[in-house]
Amino acid sequence: MNCVSTRGAGPVSLSKALAEGLAPDGGLYVFPLEVQPPVSLGARLADTATSLLTPLFSGEPLDAAILSKLAFTFDAPLSPIDDDTFLLELFHGPTAAFKDFGARFLAEALSRLGLPPTTILVATSGDTGAAVAAAFHRRSGFRVVILYPDGRVSGRQAHQLGAFGDNVRTFKVNGSFDDCQRLVKQAFAKPELVSRHGLSSANSISLGRLLPQMTYYAHASLTMLQRTGEPVDVIVPTGNLGNALACLMAKRLGLPIGRVFCATNSNRVVPDFLERGTYEPRASLPTLANAMDVGAPSNLERLRWWFPELETMRSVVSSDWVDDETIRRTIATVFRATKMAICPHTACGVALRDRLRSKGYRAPLLIAATAHPAKFETIVEPLIGHALVPPPALAELLARPSRAQPLEPSLSALESALG
Ligand SMILES: *Cc1c(COP(=O)(O)O)cnc(C)c1O
């Protein structure tokens, strides 16, 4: 399958787009959504993924079945919180957030492309860095450099980010996630730097993360179709817009998905864009749902490429934002009603569901549950009055020593850090 850049470069093969991450003209790689793969629901996520991705990888030196089998060793189960709302649990991977799906698939793909020694440079708002580090940890030919905003991630996220060692180096940047993301973009804009270090990106700007993220929406929507006979509407807690975009791509590829609701925290660039039609990036605000603290969502460029008409976009995507107080209240209310703990990001999605229901919206809803609540125990535990047990993989990382070096938010500082 051929890909082009949102800014015009290409076409290039999908494998080349995966290897490069960001397109040479600074745009993001996209592919035509006119393909309609005949997707069938498999017993496991890996089976559905194989059926969705095989046509997209035809003619490529990568085997979608092998990649899916190696990457998706855990499922994304649906769990009901009432009669017609289902959480799509995306946190059963090694770092307990949905980023594991994309990172593991990308790592399997890149290790099979025969690349020269590669440095994966990744900016993270909290979860991506750990997922990418886990996926590339001790893989020969790869080194991982993580940039995270110091003081803006949870204690357990920070611990996890620094707990890998070996071929993973972790920097805590004196700035926000947007600063980290800007540094990565600046590094990629310097061809000399890119070739010296074999830089590649694993951020959600890489198609290699969006493709695998489509698969759990495919699996879940086909499962729901079996139950209800209808396309299902989906709420996606949204920051950089990668996960929501993956859901929209799955819809465009023909999966039974109805509307897509993007729930943001107080960083309301996406809802404002959909309302006003103008993109106004701004400085990100720290919130309880820190992995969504994004003031300049880079994937908006893809959204606008795939849905050039605002009216068409509005006919399938809606968005609304949720403040910290509502996040807290929602975590407490859901626990009281169901005895289930949810993370602050997932709470943004559930809060949007509450708003829709209060307006009389009756259709079944799927809410992406993006991280395990135990990653955010200092927020969640006081609200539910219970200690949360970290899943085994997370507990294992938390038991390791952790180390991160400070970094100033400038390209020259990053250049010397890269060595
Ligand atoms: C990354 C992340 C998000 C936001 O996803 P995007 O693809 O950036 O929109 C939401 N919740 C959690 C837990 C995350 O780690």
Side-chain angles (χ1 to χ4, degrees), residues 96-99 125-128 157 204 209 213 236-244 291-292 294 299 343 345-346 370-372 375-376:
F98 81 85
K99 305 296 197 311
S125 55
D127 290 323
T128 294
Q157 280 176 315
S204 58
R209 289 193 30 202
Q213 287 175 205
V236 186
T238 294
N240 217 8
L241 208 58
N243 205 8
M292 291 156 52
V294 182
N299 275 302
C343 87
H345 312 80
T346 308
T370 50
H372 194 285
K375 265 188 134 165
F376 306 92

Side-chain angles (χ1 to χ4, degrees), residues 7 293 304:
R7 302 189 188 168
D293 292 347
R304 297 170 83 178

Side-chain angles (χ1 to χ4, degrees), residues 65-419:
I66 293 177
L67 299 180
S68 300
K69 204 163 169 206
L70 292 170
F72 306 135
T73 48
F74 45 91
D75 284 313
L78 289 173
S79 74
I81 53 172
D82 61 28
D83 288 346
D84 44 23
T85 312
F86 298 82
L87 294 185
L88 171 57
E89 294 187 353
L90 301 177
F91 48 72
H92 296 286
T95 68
F98 81 85
K99 305 296 197 311
D100 283 322
F101 291 97
R104 287 169 61 86
F105 187 88
L106 183 67
E108 295 300 344
L110 293 188
S111 359
R112 279 165 184 74
L113 286 174
L115 304 178
T118 297
T119 298
I120 307 283
L121 177 61
V122 56
T124 181
S125 55
D127 290 323
T128 294
V132 169
F136 286 94
H137 189 214
R138 296 186 180 146
R139 249 177 224 270
S140 72
F142 291 92
R143 139 178 114 126
V144 177
V145 174
I146 300 174
L147 311 181
Y148 78 86
D150 194 12
R152 301 260 192 122
V153 306
S154 82
R156 281 186 178 166
Q157 280 176 315
H159 190 103
Q160 209 183 20
L161 287 165
F164 292 91
D166 304 314
N167 61 337
V168 178
R169 286 187 65 195
T170 307
F171 293 94
K172 44 183 178 187
V173 174
N174 181 14
S176 65
F177 168 67
D178 296 318
D179 292 318
C180 299
Q181 188 155 264
R182 178 177 46 79
L183 283 180
V184 169
K185 282 194 176 159
Q186 286 173 347
F188 276 97
K190 282 189 98 171
E192 179 272 327
L193 209 56
V194 172
S195 63
R196 175 148 45 106
H197 297 290
L199 287 189
S200 181
S201 157
N203 273 57
S204 58
I205 52 180
S206 170
L207 259 189
R209 289 193 30 202
L210 293 184
L211 293 173
Q213 287 175 205
M214 293 192 301
T215 66
Y216 44 74
Y217 292 114
H219 193 81
S221 64
L222 290 169
T223 306
M224 289 299 290
L225 185 71
Q226 275 190 345
R227 288 188 199 197
T228 67
E230 304 273 350
V232 67
D233 295 340
V234 186
I235 301 180
V236 186
T238 294
N240 217 8
L241 208 58
N243 205 8
L245 203 63
C247 185
L248 282 161
M249 287 158 60
K251 175 183 168 65
R252 281 282 296 264
L253 292 177
L255 273 306
I257 293 165
R259 285 194 78 77
V260 177
F261 297 91
C262 300
T264 71
N265 57 25
S266 302
N267 293 282
R268 44 189 282 193
V269 176
V270 175
D272 285 354
F273 170 73
L274 279 164
E275 193 182 311
R276 302 173 193 162
T278 49
Y279 172 48
E280 294 160 19
R282 51 202 90 153
S284 59
L285 307 167
T287 75
L288 294 175
N290 64 27
M292 291 156 52
D293 292 347
V294 182
S298 36
N299 275 302
L300 202 64
E301 184 164 332
R302 278 200 175 100
L303 184 70
R304 297 170 83 178
W305 192 88
W306 269 313
F307 298 87
E309 303 292 331
L310 191 63
E311 283 315 308
T312 326
M313 197 190 290
R314 282 182 181 147
S315 69
V316 288
V317 195
S318 310
S319 182
D320 203 354
W321 62 282
V322 175
D323 63 16
D324 275 358
E325 198 33 53
T326 310
I327 292 177
R328 281 203 189 86
R329 198 181 54 238
T330 307
I331 293 172
T333 323
V334 168
F335 188 78
R336 230 177 293 129
T338 65
K339 292 283 163 278
M340 281 166 71
I342 55 173
C343 87
H345 312 80
T346 308
C348 293
V350 176
L352 203 71
R353 187 266 326 232
D354 293 342
R355 261 178 228 167
L356 289 169
R357 294 286 186 238
S358 73
K359 287 189 224 151
Y361 190 96
R362 286 285 145 256
L365 280 162
L366 211 76
I367 303 175
T370 50
H372 194 285
K375 265 188 134 165
F376 306 92
E377 85 290 2
T378 54
I379 298 168
V380 179
E381 286 178 354
L383 292 168
I384 65 172
H386 258 274
L388 293 166
V389 182
L394 178 59
E396 196 195 304
L397 279 173
L398 295 175
R400 288 194 211 162
S402 174
R403 214 168 81 90
Q405 289 162 275
L407 188 79
E408 284 309 310
S410 74
L411 184 60
S412 57
L414 175 59
E415 282 194 58
S416 36
L418 284 170

